[in-house]
Amino acid sequence: QLHLVESGGGVVQAGGSLRLSCAASGRTFSDYFMAWFRQAPGKEREVVTAISWRGDRTYYPDSVKGRFTISRDNAKNTAYLQMNSLKPEDTAVYYCAASKLQRAWRIPSDYDYWGQGTQVTVSS
């Protein structure tokens, strides 16, 4: 069993920055393809970004490309999401997710392990 715990959420003004962390435990972290998803009230969960096992490949949808950066430190068993130039539409609960396979990368059902989420609120 892989356990994931997100932290670093909070309230920030539009244009500001936050860094989220996802701490993993229980299994070998480097065996897992990692991703961040987010979900706003009344909306479907959507992918934010994903990163390969060694961190050599990253994936972003157009909505966050150029503003968000995913990274990982396998020695610390931690994945990160650096969010810059935040917009009110970025407001959501952000979730860390893990899979041993890359699969389609964008689909929540492709991921086997999830954290409880951390709230990000961007005010205008």
Side-chain angles (χ1 to χ4, degrees):
Q1 182 76 19
L2 183 71
H3 303 280
L4 303 173
V5 180
E6 303 95 338
S7 63
V11 180
V12 64
Q13 292 283 329
S17 298
L18 285 173
R19 190 176 86 152
L20 307 184
S21 297
C22 174
S25 62
R27 302 296 291 175
T28 303
F29 180 64
S30 60
D31 287 345
Y32 294 89
F33 185 91
M34 302 297 298
W36 289 91
F37 287 78
R38 66 186 181 187
Q39 188 167 23
K43 294 188 176 181
E44 295 292 317
R45 191 167 298 190
E46 65 175 353
V47 69
V48 177
T49 181
I51 189 167
S52 63
W53 300 263
R54 294 174 296 172
D56 57 323
R57 296 292 302 272
T58 57
Y59 306 87
Y60 302 91
D62 289 342
S63 59
V64 307
K65 196 173 297 181
R67 299 189 298 122
F68 291 9
T69 303
I70 189 171
S71 62
R72 67 190 297 164
D73 186 339
N74 288 346
K76 291 183 168 64
N77 296 330
T78 304
Y80 304 94
L81 178 62
Q82 178 67 46
M83 303 185 292
N84 299 325
S85 301
L86 283 161
K87 305 174 181 179
E89 53 262 44
D90 295 319
T91 295
V93 177
Y94 283 71
Y95 298 90
C96 181
S99 175
K100 283 200 169 184
L101 300 175
Q102 180 176 342
R103 299 171 185 169
W105 83 268
R106 312 169 196 85
I107 303 173
S109 61
D110 285 346
Y111 294 85
D112 303 303
Y113 303 100
W114 294 83
Q116 289 296 115
T118 186
Q119 177 71 46
V120 172
T121 301
V122 184
S123 60
S124 60

